[in-house]
Amino acid sequence: MGKIIAIANQKGGVGKTTTSINLAASLGVLEKKVLLIDADPQANATSGIGMDVESVEVGTYQLLEHSHAPKEAIVKTDTPNLDIIPAHIDLVAIEIELVDKDQREYMLKKALVDIKDDYDYIIIDCAPSLGLLTLNALTAADAVIIPIQCEYFALEGLGKLLNTIKSVQKIHNKELDIEGLLLTMYDSRLRLSNQVVEEVQKHFNDMVFQTIIQRNVRLSEAPSYGESIINYDAASKGATNYLSLAKEIINKNA
C-alpha cells in the first residue's frame, strides 16, 4: 500500500519543488518505488527532472479532469525507481474548470485509487497557494511535509497553512497526518538561520524532521541540468541531506 505525501506551503521559494524532486529521487535510490506528481502549473518539478514541459500531452491536468487513466500520464525518469506525472502550463485552467463540479476536492484522490498500490511512495509537489489544486493534493494525501526556510519570515503564513490542514482533516480527509516540518536553506554561519531552527524546534518539537537541508550550490544548480541532486552530484552536501531525509521517512513508516 503506497503512502501519498504532499509537499505544501503557500509561500513560494521555500524549497517545495527542490524537496519534491530530491526526496523522490532519494527514496528511489534507496530502492523504493516512487511516483512524483507535479501539481504546480509552473511545472518546475517536470522540467527539474529533465522533461520538456512543452511536449507534455497527458499529465496532471488530464488526471484531475479524469479524461485519461493515470497509467497513461505516467512517464519513467532517468532516476532509478522514479516515475513522474508531469505538469503543463494548462494546469492553470483546472481550478476554474473544477469550480462547479461535484466533489471537486476529491478529483485527485479518485484518480490515484488505481495506482496507489503500484508504488511505495507518491510525492505531490503542490502549487504555492492554498487553492483548489493544493486542496486536491491534501485531500488525496496520507501526510504532508511542510518545508520552512531558515529566514526572517519563516513562520509567517505557517498558522494559515496549519489551519487549512485542520479544516481538510475535519471536512475532507480525516486520515491526513503532518509527516513533519522540514527546515530548508539553512546556513550555519548565519545567526538568523540558527535562531529560526531554535524557534521552530521550540514551538513544534517532535513535528520537526531531524534532517535539516543546508544551502548548497550544487542543489540549486541541479534543476537547470534537468537532474535530481542524486544524479547531478551524489557526493554533494545536498544529496547527503536528502538521502538522510529519505531514510528518516522510511524509518518513520517502517
Side-chain angles (χ1 to χ4, degrees):
M1 186 75 160
K3 178 162 192 174
I4 302 177
I5 301 177
I7 315 272
N9 190 332
Q10 76 274 26
K11 281 180 71 146
V14 296
K16 276 190 299 294
T17 301
T18 304
T19 296
S20 302
I21 293 173
N22 295 309
L23 172 59
S26 300
L27 287 165
V29 167
L30 296 170
E31 299 188 345
K32 298 293 176 189
K33 275 208 72 177
V34 188
L35 175 66
L36 174 61
I37 298 176
D38 192 345
D40 180 356
Q42 294 173 51
N44 291 339
T46 303
S47 58
I49 206 85
M51 276 191 75
D52 172 19
V53 175
E54 292 307 314
S55 68
V56 173
E57 283 177 17
V58 182
T60 314
Y61 178 83
Q62 285 75 17
L63 197 66
L64 285 159
E65 259 198 337
H66 295 182
S67 63
H68 286 70
K71 288 196 164 92
E72 296 175 64
I74 294 171
V75 182
K76 285 217 164 309
T77 73
D78 296 338
T79 303
N81 302 316
L82 176 60
D83 295 345
I84 184 170
I85 292 182
H88 184 276
I89 188 68
D90 61 8
L91 195 53
V92 167
I94 200 77
E95 302 215 345
I96 300 157
E97 289 175 30
L98 289 181
V99 153
D100 50 2
K101 290 255 170 57
D102 269 351
Q103 299 219 299
R104 56 182 179 267
E105 299 90 351
Y106 297 93
M107 293 301 191
L108 187 58
K109 189 183 178 82
K110 287 178 184 164
L112 295 180
V113 166
D114 291 346
I115 55 168
K116 190 174 178 182
D117 294 343
D118 299 346
Y119 293 94
D120 296 308
Y121 292 95
I122 296 177
I123 307 287
I124 308 173
D125 183 28
C126 294
S129 75
L130 294 177
L132 200 46
L133 267 172
T134 300
L135 190 53
N136 260 277
L138 293 174
T139 303
D142 300 305
V144 55
I145 290 175
I146 304 168
I148 298 172
Q149 72 203 100
C150 297
E151 285 175 8
Y152 186 63
F153 290 117
L155 297 175
E156 197 185 59
L158 188 58
K160 199 172 170 190
L161 178 61
L162 292 172
N163 284 338
T164 301
I165 290 169
K166 269 200 193 102
S167 71
V168 170
Q169 285 166 330
K170 208 154 69 189
I171 304 164
H172 305 296
N173 182 0
K174 289 183 176 59
E175 314 297 297
L176 183 65
D177 271 334
I178 293 179
E179 187 77 10
L181 306 180
L182 176 67
L183 291 156
T184 62
M185 305 181 191
Y186 172 72
D187 185 338
S188 57
R189 296 164 305 182
L190 299 180
R191 204 163 115 220
L192 179 63
S193 268
N194 293 306
Q195 282 170 339
V196 171
V197 170
E198 273 173 41
E199 185 92 344
V200 173
Q201 286 173 338
K202 190 173 80 192
H203 280 310
F204 299 100
N205 38 51
D206 291 351
M207 283 166 69
V208 187
F209 283 109
Q210 283 169 344
T211 303
I212 295 178
I213 308 299
Q214 293 164 308
R215 272 199 185 281
N216 178 242
V217 177
R218 307 297 276 167
L219 201 52
S220 30
E221 284 172 0
S224 59
Y225 292 91
E227 291 185 341
S228 70
I229 190 64
I230 305 295
N231 285 20
Y232 182 63
D233 185 352
S236 67
K237 197 173 272 181
T240 311
N241 288 168
Y242 276 108
L243 280 165
S244 156
L245 175 66
K247 285 175 188 156
E248 205 175 322
I249 289 170
I250 291 169
N251 292 337
K252 197 174 171 181
N253 291 289

